[in-house]
Short mmCIF file of all heavy atoms in Angstrom, two decimals:
data_model
loop_
_atom_site.label_atom_id
_atom_site.label_comp_id
_atom_site.label_asym_id
_atom_site.label_seq_id
_atom_site.Cartn_x
_atom_site.Cartn_y
_atom_site.Cartn_z
N LYS D 233 -11.39 -13.84 -10.98
CA LYS D 233 -10.97 -14.99 -10.14
C LYS D 233 -9.51 -15.28 -10.16
O LYS D 233 -9.03 -16.28 -9.57
CB LYS D 233 -11.71 -16.27 -10.76
CG LYS D 233 -13.17 -16.12 -10.45
CD LYS D 233 -13.95 -17.43 -10.96
CE LYS D 233 -15.42 -17.38 -10.68
NZ LYS D 233 -16.16 -18.58 -11.14
N ALA D 234 -8.77 -14.36 -10.80
CA ALA D 234 -7.38 -14.46 -10.93
C ALA D 234 -6.75 -14.41 -9.49
O ALA D 234 -7.23 -13.52 -8.62
CB ALA D 234 -6.64 -13.48 -11.82
N PRO D 235 -5.70 -15.20 -9.21
CA PRO D 235 -5.05 -15.16 -7.90
C PRO D 235 -4.26 -13.98 -7.72
O PRO D 235 -3.98 -13.30 -8.70
CB PRO D 235 -4.12 -16.43 -7.94
CG PRO D 235 -3.88 -16.75 -9.38
CD PRO D 235 -5.16 -16.31 -10.08
N ALA D 236 -3.96 -13.68 -6.58
CA ALA D 236 -3.20 -12.43 -6.18
C ALA D 236 -1.75 -12.58 -6.80
O ALA D 236 -1.43 -13.69 -7.03
CB ALA D 236 -3.10 -12.28 -4.61
N LYS D 237 -1.07 -11.46 -6.93
CA LYS D 237 0.18 -11.41 -7.61
C LYS D 237 1.25 -11.12 -6.50
O LYS D 237 1.00 -10.47 -5.56
CB LYS D 237 0.29 -10.40 -8.77
CG LYS D 237 -0.53 -10.81 -9.95
CD LYS D 237 -0.44 -9.90 -11.00
CE LYS D 237 -1.14 -10.31 -12.18
NZ LYS D 237 -0.97 -9.39 -13.42
N SER D 238 2.40 -11.59 -6.80
CA SER D 238 3.50 -11.31 -5.92
C SER D 238 4.14 -9.98 -6.17
O SER D 238 3.73 -9.34 -7.19
CB SER D 238 4.63 -12.43 -5.95
OG SER D 238 5.15 -12.50 -7.33
N MET D 239 5.09 -9.54 -5.35
CA MET D 239 5.71 -8.24 -5.57
C MET D 239 6.28 -8.10 -6.96
O MET D 239 6.30 -6.95 -7.43
CB MET D 239 6.69 -7.97 -4.57
CG MET D 239 6.14 -7.85 -3.11
SD MET D 239 5.23 -6.38 -2.87
CE MET D 239 6.66 -5.28 -2.69
N ASP D 240 6.83 -9.03 -7.59
CA ASP D 240 7.47 -8.97 -8.86
C ASP D 240 6.43 -9.13 -10.02
O ASP D 240 6.80 -9.12 -11.17
CB ASP D 240 8.60 -9.89 -9.00
CG ASP D 240 8.13 -11.26 -8.93
OD1 ASP D 240 6.99 -11.59 -8.76
OD2 ASP D 240 9.03 -12.19 -8.95
N GLY D 241 5.09 -9.22 -9.67
CA GLY D 241 4.11 -9.37 -10.73
C GLY D 241 3.84 -10.74 -11.18
O GLY D 241 2.90 -11.03 -11.96
N ALA D 242 4.49 -11.75 -10.64
CA ALA D 242 4.35 -13.07 -11.00
C ALA D 242 3.16 -13.76 -10.14
O ALA D 242 3.00 -13.39 -9.01
CB ALA D 242 5.62 -13.90 -10.85
N THR D 243 2.44 -14.63 -10.80
CA THR D 243 1.32 -15.20 -10.08
C THR D 243 1.73 -16.17 -8.98
O THR D 243 2.71 -16.94 -9.31
CB THR D 243 0.44 -15.95 -11.12
OG1 THR D 243 -0.03 -15.09 -12.13
CG2 THR D 243 -0.75 -16.62 -10.49
N ASN D 244 1.16 -16.08 -7.93
CA ASN D 244 1.65 -17.03 -6.78
C ASN D 244 0.43 -17.68 -6.28
O ASN D 244 0.03 -17.55 -5.13
CB ASN D 244 2.19 -16.08 -5.67
CG ASN D 244 3.04 -16.80 -4.68
OD1 ASN D 244 2.89 -18.05 -4.57
ND2 ASN D 244 3.96 -16.12 -4.02
N ALA D 245 0.01 -18.67 -7.15
CA ALA D 245 -1.43 -19.33 -6.75
C ALA D 245 -1.19 -20.31 -5.72
O ALA D 245 -2.07 -20.61 -4.87
CB ALA D 245 -1.81 -20.10 -8.05
N ALA D 246 0.04 -20.87 -5.50
CA ALA D 246 0.25 -21.93 -4.65
C ALA D 246 -0.12 -21.57 -3.13
O ALA D 246 -0.55 -22.39 -2.57
CB ALA D 246 1.64 -22.43 -4.76
N SER D 247 0.11 -20.52 -2.76
CA SER D 247 -0.04 -19.98 -1.34
C SER D 247 -1.06 -18.96 -1.03
O SER D 247 -1.05 -18.32 -0.15
CB SER D 247 1.27 -19.61 -0.72
OG SER D 247 1.80 -18.39 -1.49
N VAL D 248 -2.01 -18.66 -2.10
CA VAL D 248 -2.89 -17.67 -1.92
C VAL D 248 -3.95 -18.05 -0.76
O VAL D 248 -4.09 -17.16 0.11
CB VAL D 248 -3.87 -17.57 -3.21
CG1 VAL D 248 -5.10 -16.73 -2.90
CG2 VAL D 248 -3.15 -17.08 -4.34
N ASP D 249 -4.21 -19.25 -0.54
CA ASP D 249 -5.09 -19.54 0.54
C ASP D 249 -4.41 -19.38 1.94
O ASP D 249 -4.92 -18.87 2.88
CB ASP D 249 -5.51 -21.06 0.54
CG ASP D 249 -6.47 -21.31 -0.74
OD1 ASP D 249 -7.11 -20.30 -1.06
OD2 ASP D 249 -6.58 -22.44 -1.09
N ASP D 250 -3.08 -19.74 1.90
CA ASP D 250 -2.29 -19.50 3.17
C ASP D 250 -2.24 -18.03 3.41
O ASP D 250 -2.22 -17.59 4.68
CB ASP D 250 -0.89 -20.05 2.96
CG ASP D 250 -0.92 -21.62 2.95
OD1 ASP D 250 -1.87 -22.21 3.42
OD2 ASP D 250 -0.03 -22.17 2.42
N VAL D 251 -1.91 -17.23 2.39
CA VAL D 251 -1.82 -15.78 2.55
C VAL D 251 -3.17 -15.10 3.16
O VAL D 251 -3.09 -14.39 4.09
CB VAL D 251 -1.50 -15.12 1.23
CG1 VAL D 251 -1.64 -13.52 1.28
CG2 VAL D 251 -0.12 -15.49 0.79
#
Side-chain angles (χ1 to χ4, degrees):
K233 295 180 180 179
K237 293 184 177 181
S238 64
M239 292 289 285
D240 58 3
T243 301
N244 199 337
S247 62
V248 169
D249 291 339
D250 290 335
V251 169

